[in-house]
């Protein structure tokens, strides 16, 4: 795969998209259209239809038909695997194009976007194996007259609502696993970043996915997203986004058909650094953990909990690392930190930076917007002397803002790490295996990293403890999540009569 150049150019015209239902594009036609501007370049890049609730019904009907007539769930695992493998190959072949539109709508560095897209191809390849190995259980110990089976069946029509921070990655942490299980899908991407979800739908059709199994409806969260949560013919909904909207989704599911829910919500993730760690390695990891994707990352390591004896030296090491990160035009191959994706998020991050200053935290670096001539950028920011009660230590900021909380003992480090409503991810940095294991056991988080951070891949599951969510995505757990279990009792020979 060739890279087009070290600095791709902007599109001459915004690209027009329709939405995707029953294996075909539906043109925007007379519907209202949302024009998305690149947050890094301030120019229009895509035009996306604002779908109506009628459009959603059309997509749900298509997914419903495709599920109910068994055109997908009735295929063998081998046949489903073939489609997933082909999809992985097509994603690889079109990685440059997907990364380009991801970068334009999201503002993330093109090299990072490319890496994410290739990682997504791997998920389809991995999930193809799961389509073939998914199985239930059997009971051969019920006596000579009875055998028991436990089978797994696909849940049905699955809705997926995604956010704008990793539009393609978060989608692909779900779609191949859901398809491997035999379910059909209706997606609503974030209105800010719809392009790559739409491109994916077309790729899946090209890969041989039967019509109606993957549908994408674009539009706002308050209309289409809310209508999905309330929809009586959607059997399960996977929602990734804010905790506040997650709460609304739970209420809507309860008021409609009790659809099964998967929720991946916010995080305020601890990075616990002991004095005996390889501090050079840890400083690089902590800088990466807070600045990757400009901190707009549910698993970003936003709370640095560091042993007091090295706290000042370590803060200086992280500051030095961040000062050397390349911030700039995300279309430039060398860029490591791009733009903030939405205007609302930009305002939110700047609000929290001012809050930190008001609360009396010590500003170590950054502290405001970066003027790059165009687009919206925020300087990587570190606050020292943070106390656990400060707002900047408690709220998910979702930006490149690191708060430092020192500790003296292992127990204190664990207590600070757990002093949050969230439980999505955590890291520990130490050369002492006992400390690493104690922290790994006692800190409440769905994903844990030892002497690394933000590592991932299709094999290991992701999801949160506490208010970070429900359920797991990826790995074998990610397929099982989209199945329901049926138990089957089979009589062997003549039944013992109830009335003789
Ligand atoms: O999220 P929303 P926003 C957090 C992060 C960020 C904050 C706000 O702290 O600052 O959320 O971001 C759709 N019913 N995370 O406003 O609104 C919406 O269209 C159904 C963490 O963008 O939750 C989009 O597709 N759906 C998170 C998706 O929900 C609704 C990633 C997420 O939007 C809806 C993103 C409704 N009533 C933000 N309203 C993470 N864990 O990665 C909106 N949506």
């Amino acid at each position: 795969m060739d890279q087009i150049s070290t600095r791709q150019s902007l599109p001459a015209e915004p690209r027009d998209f329709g939405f995707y239902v029953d294996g075909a594009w539906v043109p925007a036609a007379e519907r209202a259209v949302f024009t998305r501007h690149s947050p890094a370049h301030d120019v229009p890049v895509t035009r996306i239809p604002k779908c109506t609730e009628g459009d959603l019904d059309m997509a749900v009907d298509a997914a419903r038909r495709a599920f109910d007539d068994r055109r997908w769930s009735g295929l063998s695992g081998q046949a489903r695997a073939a489609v997933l493998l082909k999809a992985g190959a097509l994603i690889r072949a079109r990685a440059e194009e997907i990364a380009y539109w991801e970068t334009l709508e999201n503002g993330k560095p093109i090299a990072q976007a490319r890496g994410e897209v290739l990682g997504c191809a791997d998920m389809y390849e991995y999930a193809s194996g799961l389509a073939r190995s998914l199985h239930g259980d059997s009971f051969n110990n019920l006596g000579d007259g009875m055998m028991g089976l436990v089978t797994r069946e696909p849940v049905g029509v699955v809705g997926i609502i995604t956010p704008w921070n990793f539009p393609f990655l978060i989608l692909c942490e779900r779609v191949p696993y859901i398809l491997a299980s035999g379910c059909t899908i209706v997606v609503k991407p974030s209105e800010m970043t719809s392009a790559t979800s739409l491109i994916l739908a077309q790729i899946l059709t090209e890969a041989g996915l039967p019509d109606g199994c993957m549908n994408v409806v674009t539009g706002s969260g308050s209309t289409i997203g809310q209508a999905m949560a309330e929809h009586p013919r959607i059997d399960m909904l996977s929602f990734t986004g804010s905790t506040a909207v997650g709460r609304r989704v739970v209420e809507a599911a309860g008021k409609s058909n009790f659809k099964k829910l998967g929720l991946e919500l916010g995080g305020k993730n601890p990075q616990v650094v002991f004095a005996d760690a390889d501090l050079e390695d840890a400083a690089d990891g902590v800088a990466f953990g807070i600045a990757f994707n400009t901190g707009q990352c549910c698993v970003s390591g936003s709370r640095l909990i560091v042993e007091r004896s090295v706290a000042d030296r370590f803060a200086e090491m992280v500051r030095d690392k961040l000062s050397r990160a390349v911030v700039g035009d995300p279309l430039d191959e060398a860029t490591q930190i791009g733009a903030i994706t939405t205007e609302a998020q930009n305002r939110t991050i700047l609000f929290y930076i001012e809050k930190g200053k008001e609360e009396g935290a010590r500003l170590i670096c950054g502290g405001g917007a970066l003027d790059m001539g165009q687009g919206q950028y925020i300087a990587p920011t570190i606050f020292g002397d943070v106390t656990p009660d400060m707002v900047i230590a408690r709220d998910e900021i979702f930006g490149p803002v690191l708060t430092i909380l020192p500790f003296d003992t292992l127990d204190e480090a664990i207590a600070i790490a757990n002093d949050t409503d969230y439980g999505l991810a955590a890291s520990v940095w130490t050369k002492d295996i006992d400390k690493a294991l104690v922290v790994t056991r006692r800190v409440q988080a769905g994903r844990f990293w030892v002497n690394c951070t933000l590592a991932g891949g299709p094999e290991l599951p992701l999801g949160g403890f506490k208010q970070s969510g429900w359920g797991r995505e990826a790995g074998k757990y990610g397929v099982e999540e989209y199945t329901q279990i049926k138990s089957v009792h089979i009589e062997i020979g003549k039944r013992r009569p109830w009335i003789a």
Side-chain angles (χ1 to χ4, degrees), residues 161-166 170 188-191 219-222 224-227 229 239-243 245-246 248-249 264-267 296-299 342 345 348 396-398 424:
I161 298 176
T162 54
W164 41 256
N165 55 339
F166 292 98
I170 288 177
K188 191 211 82 72
S190 164
E191 47 274 50
S220 78
S222 54
I224 302 301
Q226 185 70 29
F239 171 81
T240 308
S242 62
T243 305
V245 174
R248 247 174 276 157
V249 165
E264 190 182 333
L265 308 173
Q296 300 171 116
C297 188
C298 51
V299 290
T342 74
Q345 192 57 35
T348 300
E396 180 182 49
I397 298 175
F398 221 56
L424 201 54

Side-chain angles (χ1 to χ4, degrees), residues 144-148 488-496:
D144 273 350
M146 181 71 71
M147 178 176 264
V488 184
H489 287 83
I490 307 167
E491 183 86 28
I492 302 172
K494 193 160 168 51
R495 208 179 135 262
R496 193 158 58 90

